[in-house]
Amino acid sequence: MAQGSSAGSEMVHQDSLLDLLMRQQTRGEQGVRLSFHQELLSAVSFNSCPYHYCAVTGNAELACYLYSQKIELTPNITVASFSAAGTGGNTPWKKIVVITPHEAALLAGKPRAARTLKLIEKGVPLNWSRKDHRKLPQEFREKVRGPIQSLLQSEWFCRLPGPVRVKVIDDLMNHYFHTMIWSSVSKSTWVQPWEETLGSDVYIAANDLPEKLQDTPKQVSNPQIPQYQFRVAHEQNGQRRRRLGRVFSGLKRAGLGLGWWLLQRQQGGGVAVLPTVGAFVLSGMHPCLQVAPLLLATLGNGSQSSGSR
């Protein structure tokens, strides 16, 4: 039920999303179902997932070559899904967890490939162009504005022919673009042929990729995939319940020990030991502590006997 408030103040609901997760129902039981997908168990193939392959191998230069050849990003890899049927059990929902090439590089611990693939996923061009300059990040445009203005005001630059000045500015902007935006890629990528950068075998495999992508069949999902159902709970509440449980357990054991000792004192040690020891074993107390009340009762009886004498 929504909790209203006076005019001018914020309206809030008494339940958080975590509270709702704690009350989810799945197939008649409380909890959320986690299902892993077949793609999580499959090897990462260059022919079917080329950018994910670049991610896990850390080959940022290969990713750039594929990008330059207009190889489109393949679908993200589906690894798992969460599902439940709502708090009342009649509103089913499902949340799929996918891994992008950039995220796969982070999982593999490849920072250069991760930065490169993030730019590719955003659609950042490999080379600077005048028509796309306004689309570039504001930070980059501000950094290059000063050097370009200084160049335009220099005398030697003004003496150059018009086409040469345009070429100088374009080359300088490309240099800034590669060193600032695409800094995760090796500098040799921009000055030498792709075959030298990648190696002949990788270069040939990359050129054959368009055919392989068309011929690669779609993977058929395996119905025998691991599934788990779990309950969501506050960690603080769980710790508090565990602490209270230990306190109550200690009080229960202390009460049993005190009752045993008093009973032994009252009956002069004549109470049967077997039932009382069994009670302590069921209570979970350490065996050494289970014997302590018996020793106290024995000492109490001994002191009573010496006193009567």
Side-chain angles (χ1 to χ4, degrees):
M1 178 178 179
Q3 291 183 344
S5 55
S6 58
S9 60
E10 184 181 4
M11 297 179 62
V12 297
H13 194 278
Q14 63 183 4
D15 292 332
S16 66
L17 292 179
L18 179 58
D19 295 327
L20 297 178
L21 283 175
M22 293 170 61
R23 299 200 299 269
Q24 292 298 298
Q25 300 289 328
T26 303
R27 298 183 180 179
E29 299 179 359
Q30 186 175 2
V32 178
R33 181 167 294 272
L34 169 62
S35 302
F36 293 104
H37 287 237
Q38 182 63 26
E39 292 179 85
L40 179 66
L41 309 176
S42 303
V44 179
S45 170
F46 178 70
N47 292 338
S48 58
C49 303
Y51 287 101
H52 287 84
Y53 175 86
C54 296
V56 298
T57 58
N59 199 333
E61 289 70 30
L62 177 57
C64 284
Y65 179 69
L66 298 179
Y67 189 42
S68 70
Q69 298 301 305
K70 310 299 182 183
I71 301 296
E72 296 183 358
L73 288 168
T74 50
N76 297 327
I77 295 178
T78 303
V79 295
S81 62
F82 294 91
S83 61
T87 57
N90 55 2
T91 53
W93 59 268
K94 185 176 184 180
K95 178 64 177 178
I96 297 176
V97 181
V98 298
I99 299 295
T100 66
H102 163 243
E103 293 167 339
L106 294 177
L107 287 174
K110 309 293 184 182
R112 284 201 318 116
R115 292 194 296 270
T116 302
L117 289 164
K118 189 173 184 179
L119 293 173
I120 293 175
E121 290 173 6
K122 289 182 176 180
V124 178
L126 281 176
N127 297 299
W128 177 86
S129 65
R130 295 176 181 271
K131 65 177 183 178
D132 294 331
H133 182 70
R134 291 185 179 181
K135 301 178 183 178
L136 300 179
Q138 180 69 22
E139 182 181 3
F140 170 77
R141 288 184 287 158
E142 291 178 354
K143 283 184 178 181
V144 300
R145 184 178 294 117
I148 294 299
Q149 288 180 348
S150 299
L151 178 64
L152 294 175
Q153 294 172 1
S154 61
E155 294 184 3
W156 69 268
F157 181 77
C158 295
R159 295 195 186 104
L160 295 175
V164 177
R165 281 182 288 176
V166 172
K167 182 69 165 58
V168 169
I169 291 178
D170 288 351
D171 290 345
L172 183 59
M173 289 299 300
N174 255 317
H175 171 74
Y176 285 138
F177 188 69
H178 292 155
T179 55
M180 293 182 186
I181 302 297
W182 293 94
S183 58
S184 56
V185 181
S186 174
K187 294 180 180 179
S188 61
T189 303
W190 316 113
V191 296
Q192 66 184 16
W194 283 109
E195 186 173 1
E196 294 183 18
T197 301
L198 302 177
S200 58
D201 293 340
V202 176
Y203 180 73
I204 293 173
N207 287 330
D208 293 340
L209 182 62
E211 280 184 38
K212 298 291 181 61
L213 286 175
Q214 294 178 357
D215 297 338
T216 301
K218 294 183 178 180
Q219 295 181 353
V220 179
S221 59
N222 184 359
Q224 302 299 327
I225 54 179
Q227 294 186 349
Y228 304 92
Q229 188 160 325
F230 61 93
R231 294 183 179 181
V232 182
H234 284 289
E235 178 62 22
Q236 293 180 351
N237 291 343
Q239 292 178 353
R240 187 180 299 113
R241 285 194 294 269
R242 286 192 292 270
R243 286 196 297 267
L244 290 175
R246 286 194 293 266
V247 171
F248 287 132
S249 180
L251 292 175
K252 179 186 70 174
R253 295 169 186 173
L256 285 172
L258 180 61
W260 186 18
W261 182 62
L262 291 176
L263 201 57
Q264 292 280 4
R265 289 286 304 272
Q266 183 180 3
Q267 301 295 331
V271 179
V273 177
L274 183 59
T276 52
V277 171
F280 270 87
V281 173
L282 292 176
S283 69
M285 183 174 283
H286 193 276
C288 295
L289 299 178
Q290 293 171 11
V291 181
L294 179 60
L295 296 177
L296 291 175
T298 304
L299 293 176
N301 293 334
S303 62
Q304 286 181 355
S305 299
S306 61
S308 61
R309 292 177 185 175

